[in-house]
Amino acid sequence: MVHAQPVDQEPEAVRLRVLSYNVHGQRDDTAALAAAVRSVEPDVVIVQEAPRRFRWRQRCAALADRLALVVAGGGLPSLGNLLLTNLRVQVLRTWCRQFPLTPGRHMRGAAFAECAIGSARFVVAGSHLSTDATERPGQATLLKADLAAVHLPLILGADLNENSGGAAWRTLADGLTDAAVAADRADRCTYSCANPRDRIDALFVSSQFRVVDYDVVDTEQTRRASDHFPVLVDLLLPVTRA
């Protein structure tokens, strides 16, 4: 992990560890997936390709249990985006977005959760954009409008299905901090595990957060667990006292 800045002098702040992970529909080594996530002890996991069809509630709950977390929101209403937290995080409310369906394509969406750790409040969002380059910019524009309506510190984890030069990526990154860039690690690829060549998985934060650490978790376990590497970010959120 990259240690961007010392934080010992900031007691009035909350540390938050966030993992964003496309789990490939749990079609790979699920034991390796569980071990990989548990080993990094995240506070929040933003999942793409989570259960979204038959018995999705039970399957999302089972995934959370394997990862030693609880379901915060998402699943079918967000079309496969799932937000998980540990018990340190209080979930205050959740909501979801579904993007308009293009005939012949998979529906896409986003999940949102307003959360708190003590007096620190923030919003976590997760999304997975289309593989179709003609669809992604429109989806990004809709998602950006939802993000703009959030007036709390914001975290967005997403599989954008394009690199940072793409139109959808630029739309979502506007006004937010790309955690990889902040940590000088934008050269780390997230896809594919078999042949790492692209950074299509991103984690963005609003200006209230400070990026302390950033990593693309490349281990024997993560190479067996999915076709994407997970993105792991340590954040610091100053606490505003009333």
Side-chain angles (χ1 to χ4, degrees):
M1 297 284 285
V2 171
H3 293 272
Q5 302 178 58
V7 296
D8 295 340
Q9 305 303 313
E10 301 192 41
E12 297 298 315
V14 168
R15 286 180 176 271
L16 185 65
R17 173 165 282 193
V18 182
L19 189 76
S20 185
Y21 203 171
N22 183 323
V23 300
H24 200 209
Q26 299 180 83
R27 296 193 293 272
D28 302 299
D29 187 332
T30 56
L33 172 65
V37 174
R38 285 172 175 253
S39 69
V40 299
E41 299 182 326
D43 297 297
V44 175
V45 178
I46 304 168
V47 180
Q48 299 90 40
E49 293 197 30
R52 55 176 286 182
R53 294 187 176 89
F54 179 67
R55 299 182 62 198
W56 66 271
R57 289 183 180 85
Q58 296 93 323
R59 293 167 59 211
C60 286
L63 173 60
D65 185 63
R66 284 195 295 275
L67 304 184
L69 299 167
V70 296
V71 174
L76 176 61
S78 64
L79 301 171
N81 297 286
L82 183 65
L83 305 176
L84 307 176
T85 69
N86 63 15
L87 296 180
R88 179 173 175 248
V89 179
Q90 180 185 7
V91 179
L92 305 176
R93 68 185 182 103
T94 65
W95 64 102
C96 296
R97 143 81 73 180
Q98 295 185 5
F99 303 130
L101 175 65
T102 298
R105 300 291 180 183
H106 292 297
M107 290 187 71
R108 305 283 180 169
F112 302 81
E114 181 181 337
C115 302
I117 299 177
S119 61
R121 294 173 61 199
F122 54 94
V123 170
V124 178
S127 189
H128 185 188
L129 301 189
S130 176
T131 56
D132 186 335
T134 63
E135 286 188 309
R136 284 196 300 272
Q139 292 172 352
T141 297
L142 292 172
L143 178 56
K144 190 66 173 180
D146 290 339
L147 299 176
V150 172
H151 301 296
L152 290 170
L154 174 69
I155 302 166
L156 169 65
D159 174 358
L160 301 183
N161 269 312
E162 69 180 27
N163 287 296
S164 59
W169 186 299
R170 295 196 307 271
T171 294
L172 293 174
D174 184 35
L176 298 175
T177 298
D178 182 336
V181 173
D184 196 24
R185 301 301 297 275
D187 60 334
R188 296 291 304 278
C189 296
T190 66
Y191 181 85
S192 69
C193 291
N195 179 25
R197 61 187 182 276
D198 294 304
R199 184 168 77 96
I200 65 174
D201 303 274
L203 195 138
F204 303 105
V205 295
S206 58
S207 60
Q208 297 94 331
F209 285 99
R210 197 169 96 195
V211 177
V212 179
D213 288 359
Y214 173 93
D215 196 15
V216 174
V217 186
D218 181 354
T219 66
E220 181 182 349
Q221 288 173 332
T222 59
R223 284 179 177 265
R224 299 200 314 267
S226 175
D227 59 342
H228 290 245
F229 292 116
V231 170
L232 178 66
V233 179
D234 282 342
L235 301 169
L236 198 68
L237 177 61
V239 175
T240 302
R241 299 297 182 183

